[in-house]
Amino acid sequence: MSELVIKNGKIVLPERTISGDILIAEGKIEKIGKNLSGGIILDVKGKYVLPGLIDAHVHFREPGGSNKEDWFTGSSAAAAGGVSCVLEMPNTQPPTVTGELLNEKRKYARRSVVDYGFHFGASTSNIDELRRVEGIASVKFYMGSTTGSLLVESDAILYEQLRVLAKRNIPATVHAESERMISYLTNKLRSTCRIDAEAYSEARPNMSAAEAANRILSLTKLAGNHTHLCHVSTKEEVDILGIYRANAQVSSEAAPHHLFLTKKDYKELGTRAKTNPPMRSKEDQDALWKALMNGTIDMIATDHAPHLLDSKDWGIWEAPSGVPGLETMLPLLLDAVNHDRLTLEQVARLTAENPARIFSIKNKGQIKAGYDADLTIVDMSLAKKVENDKLFTKCAWSPFAGRKLKGWPVKTIVRGNVVYDEGTINKNKGEEVRYDRFS
Ligand code: DOR
Ligand code: ZN
Ligand code: ZN
């Protein structure tokens, strides 16, 4: 592969931002410095260069739901959002709960234009699969029911499976909502004929997330594994994380829809804002931001969950849960940088460096010699609205449609290939990532 030089960038390194060039050869960063030359020149004229974003939590829909998203459309949405690598969840149809099904999924992923990895699914009966599966980012546990059929409620099974992961040094990723609480409350609210969107947040209240988080982290401490808590959405979970982080292997993420939307947005968005876990209060949102700033929450991950608009506009109990997020995460964060809510270095840490470290992804997550040349060029002064008809996700809508945001990705580079270029997706063959913890 020919050499590429990114000229005149403001390069966001982990601790500081420097002005200079990046020399890329064979898809890797060869050198960062001044006045570099050789091969094709890409002059970015003072724009910021971020490490390509790694989204540790996406749902594409193959197999079983390719009318909502397939690997080409989902990965194109990633590239358009400045995301050069995705880790995909197992709640497809069928769910990814055996080595054979994982290999099937790998065939679909060949169409990806960005790099990728897989979270494997835990079921109540696949512990033998967990003993032998290789090459995965994590094993995902659903403690509360959501899109798809995966659910592990029993503490005995959870503990047994976490022990296997502890021995194998594989992280658990957990959707922590208490099935017992949410099924009781859902039945209760439905029987009173509540059909307003807010009722959904009442059916899955803070306490149902906090109880499950507390339980899984308590089991984690006993089992000795690493648990990554997905989509932390409540102040109570933040408090619980604070306690367990001190004496157990714990990490966590927050989702953009919990950072930039609240229960108040039901008014405008109705059932479109239905997600699991649901919309929360402003107080919860403030606690999430604070936790991101002080390191209690380690990363931002989209939980990109494409559903067709027709179905999102069904009733609050019937509509599927989830919102797409790949194309709006970075613009929302850059807009927040422009409003002094965080720095670009923090964006890089929360969306690239920390996900790579926590999931042990080889050679990614930082702009560093020897690392993959995964880079996202951003224009901090470009202001435009989120528009549904400009999106690459097959579901073709966003809960943020109509929002004017300042700060957008303009080019996404995956191992030296410009995959997203100012509105166009170029051909690229995404590759499966490797993990430092597997030989
Ligand atoms: O809102 C959600 N949507 N939460 C989940 O846990 C799953 C996701 C999906 O796959 O649709
Ligand atoms: Zn989840
Ligand atoms: Zn999810």
Side-chain angles (χ1 to χ4, degrees):
M1 193 194 292
S2 61
E3 294 193 347
L4 174 69
V5 189
I6 315 255
K7 295 289 292 178
N8 304 316
K10 292 202 188 85
I11 306 165
V12 181
L13 304 174
E15 298 307 331
R16 70 211 158 98
T17 297
I18 59 161
S19 293
D21 310 336
I22 303 171
L23 175 65
I24 298 165
E26 305 289 332
K28 302 240 180 243
I29 296 169
E30 185 149 302
K31 203 171 174 184
I32 303 156
K34 300 250 183 214
N35 305 317
L36 302 181
S37 58
I40 301 162
I41 303 282
L42 178 64
D43 188 347
V44 298
K45 299 181 180 155
K47 292 196 183 66
Y48 284 90
V49 185
L50 291 171
L53 275 68
I54 298 172
D55 186 351
H57 189 152
V58 307
H59 300 267
F60 293 164
R61 301 301 191 193
E62 288 181 315
S66 56
N67 58 323
K68 298 178 198 136
E69 195 81 286
D70 61 48
W71 271 85
F72 177 71
T73 56
S75 64
S76 298
V83 174
S84 56
C85 177
V86 295
L87 301 180
E88 199 255 0
M89 285 293 169
N91 61 334
T92 41
Q93 288 167 332
T96 322
V97 290
T98 67
E100 204 180 330
L101 288 164
L102 176 61
N103 284 335
E104 277 299 304
K105 187 173 265 188
R106 285 191 165 109
K107 293 184 195 157
Y108 291 101
R110 284 188 202 146
R111 291 179 66 214
S112 183
V113 297
V114 300
D115 287 352
Y116 55 87
F118 303 99
H119 297 287
F120 193 73
S123 77
T124 49
S125 58
N126 73 341
I127 195 158
D128 286 334
E129 296 284 344
L130 304 192
R131 289 196 177 100
R132 56 176 178 254
V133 62
E134 294 279 334
I136 52 165
S138 85
V139 172
K140 175 78 184 271
F141 294 81
Y142 289 90
M143 297 173 80
S145 49
T146 183
T147 307
S149 54
L150 290 172
L151 183 64
V152 183
E153 280 189 81
S154 151
D155 293 345
I157 298 177
L158 286 169
Y159 176 74
E160 204 168 49
Q161 297 186 332
L162 294 183
R163 282 293 300 155
V164 170
L165 301 190
K167 285 192 193 124
R168 300 198 59 206
N169 194 26
I170 298 173
T173 41
V174 180
H175 179 116
E177 286 190 285
S178 160
E179 182 63 15
R180 277 199 211 172
M181 286 191 186
I182 60 186
S183 63
Y184 167 76
L185 291 168
T186 304
N187 288 334
K188 193 167 137 182
L189 284 154
R190 290 190 75 158
S191 72
T192 62
C193 300
R194 285 276 301 274
I195 52 163
D196 54 308
E198 286 83 352
Y200 198 71
S201 289
E202 288 174 45
R204 302 174 87 112
N206 284 32
M207 223 34 75
S208 62
E211 190 278 331
N214 194 47
R215 187 150 43 93
I216 198 69
L217 295 185
S218 151
L219 291 170
T220 292
K221 188 162 178 269
L222 296 168
N225 71 299
H226 166 198
T227 288
H228 175 81
L229 209 58
C230 294
H231 41 53
V232 174
S233 62
T234 65
K235 56 185 186 312
E236 288 83 356
E237 287 165 281
V238 170
D239 290 343
I240 290 163
L241 280 166
I243 296 166
Y244 281 100
R245 277 182 79 96
N247 51 23
Q249 291 181 70
V250 175
S251 60
S252 65
E253 74 194 27
H257 49 268
H258 291 123
L259 294 169
F260 293 97
L261 297 172
T262 66
K263 279 192 271 198
K264 285 207 169 129
D265 292 288
Y266 281 132
K267 200 160 180 246
E268 182 108 340
L269 294 169
T271 51
R272 291 189 188 185
K274 178 180 174 182
T275 60
N276 296 331
M279 290 295 121
R280 304 294 189 193
S281 68
K282 176 74 170 57
E283 209 182 332
D284 290 306
Q285 190 178 65
D286 290 344
L288 299 183
W289 276 95
K290 199 169 154 204
L292 282 170
M293 295 305 118
N294 69 21
T296 306
I297 297 177
D298 304 271
M299 69 179 81
I300 302 170
T302 60
D303 199 1
H304 176 82
H307 292 286
L308 300 181
L309 261 188
D310 295 2
S311 64
K312 285 299 285 182
D313 290 337
W314 294 341
I316 191 64
W317 305 113
E318 294 80 21
S321 301
V323 294
L326 272 165
E327 285 159 274
T328 44
M329 168 168 66
L330 184 56
L332 287 163
L333 291 173
L334 298 179
D335 188 71
V337 170
N338 272 323
H339 286 90
D340 293 325
R341 295 194 75 181
L342 77 172
T343 66
L344 278 176
E345 286 84 0
Q346 284 171 316
V347 171
R349 212 168 305 138
L350 292 167
T351 61
E353 190 181 336
N354 289 352
R357 178 175 48 79
I358 285 164
F359 292 105
S360 309
I361 300 170
K362 231 178 188 151
N363 293 332
K364 290 194 186 289
Q366 290 183 47
I367 303 180
K368 191 169 166 180
Y371 273 48
D372 288 351
D374 296 346
L375 304 165
T376 299
I377 320 283
V378 303
D379 182 343
M380 291 303 290
S381 45
L382 179 62
K384 59 177 181 177
K385 278 189 181 167
V386 176
E387 288 179 88
N388 286 349
D389 58 6
K390 298 259 165 66
L391 298 172
F392 287 90
T393 175
K394 203 183 267 187
C395 72
W397 70 280
S398 163
F400 299 102
R403 267 206 206 193
K404 192 169 184 190
L405 300 171
K406 188 175 172 191
W408 285 81
V410 290
K411 287 185 204 299
T412 306
I413 300 173
V414 181
R415 283 175 289 100
N417 302 307
V418 182
V419 176
Y420 173 74
D421 196 354
E422 299 183 28
T424 342
I425 298 290
N426 295 328
K427 261 197 198 149
N428 185 48
K429 213 189 139 349
E431 284 182 4
E432 187 171 351
V433 298
R434 283 169 303 131
Y435 305 91
D436 280 326
R437 72 190 115 81
F438 292 100
S439 49

